[in-house]
Amino acid sequence: MVIGLTGVAAAPAGPVQLKQSTIGRVWQIAEVDAMAEIAAKVAKLPGDMRQQFGPRHRWSALRAAALDPAPADRVRSVIPFYTLDFDVKLPDGRMLYPKGYSFNPLTYVKLPQRLVIAHPRDLSWALRTARPSDFVIVTAGDPIELTERSGRAIYLLEERMKTRLGLTVAPVIVAQSGRKLILSEFGPFSRAKKMRPVR
């Protein structure tokens, strides 16, 4: 049955025959199946990662960049300029962008979600404040444990992100506005208005 804008239309009386055709050249897929590749790599990992890497609290990958607590509400803007630390050349050797070239990535891309960055003690505030599409990022703690407790994906703040975004305090919400980022910092009074314990 087909439903159109003007109402319900009758279904075809019998099966519909589709004609298969090929336009242009066709090649076999050369890439390895992504799921098969992941499964093969996982099969080579030890059954218990702690035997190879030790307890999770000692993993260097789970060390977050620290931020001081925000003393008061403040809104500021940042332009996240990026400077190339290598030459970008075309295959024929011609220079496309030289080392030292600076540009604003927000000229070319749109940040589709906000970043809600908080210390774990303010996670209740962050979860209540974050929209479903926002990334929730913490400045300390175990993001795997926090994800399991909260039921929402929690990420760690990396030093590189802290530097690139000009972050100094938390909690802070980072959102794009045109070609700049707006950093909204929340002091103790604002945080207290939205506190709720995380189960």
Side-chain angles (χ1 to χ4, degrees):
M1 182 178 292
V2 179
I3 300 176
L5 292 176
T6 57
V8 178
V16 176
Q17 297 292 325
L18 298 177
K19 186 176 180 183
Q20 185 176 12
S21 63
T22 303
I23 300 173
R25 296 181 191 170
V26 182
W27 288 270
Q28 292 294 323
I29 296 173
E31 290 85 8
V32 178
D33 178 68
M35 293 307 292
E37 192 173 12
I38 292 169
K41 289 189 177 183
V42 168
K44 294 178 184 175
L45 294 174
D48 186 355
M49 298 292 280
R50 287 175 293 189
Q51 292 177 355
Q52 184 170 350
F53 298 108
R56 203 162 65 199
H57 70 272
R58 293 203 326 239
W59 293 0
S60 62
L62 295 183
R63 291 198 188 114
L67 292 174
D68 291 330
D73 292 0
R74 179 173 70 150
V75 177
R76 58 193 180 93
S77 64
V78 170
I79 299 176
F81 284 111
Y82 181 75
T83 302
L84 291 175
D85 55 2
F86 55 89
D87 291 333
V88 177
K89 296 183 179 180
L90 294 170
D92 64 6
R94 285 183 296 155
M95 183 70 69
L96 187 61
Y97 296 107
K99 178 180 178 179
Y101 174 77
S102 291
F103 66 98
N104 178 2
L106 300 182
T107 303
Y108 310 101
V109 297
K110 172 96 173 76
L111 188 64
Q113 68 281 318
R114 302 180 311 165
L115 308 176
V116 180
I117 303 165
H119 191 277
R121 67 177 165 261
D122 296 318
L123 185 57
S124 295
W125 174 90
L127 293 172
R128 287 182 57 88
T129 304
R131 300 171 185 157
S133 62
D134 290 343
F135 285 173
V136 178
I137 303 169
V138 291
T139 62
D142 183 337
I144 299 170
E145 179 188 337
L146 293 172
T147 294
E148 291 168 352
R149 283 178 45 213
S150 68
R152 177 167 180 156
I154 307 289
Y155 303 93
L156 274 184
L157 178 65
E158 295 180 347
E159 196 66 45
R160 181 175 49 175
M161 178 187 288
K162 172 183 171 179
T163 302
R164 287 283 305 279
L165 301 182
L167 302 174
T168 56
V169 296
V172 57
I173 296 178
V174 180
Q176 183 176 350
S177 176
R179 296 184 182 183
K180 61 185 176 181
L181 297 173
I182 304 298
L183 279 60
S184 302
E185 301 167 356
F186 295 85
F189 181 73
S190 294
R191 295 196 304 270
K193 290 194 294 187
K194 285 200 172 185
M195 291 303 284
R196 181 180 72 175
V198 176
R199 296 187 188 98

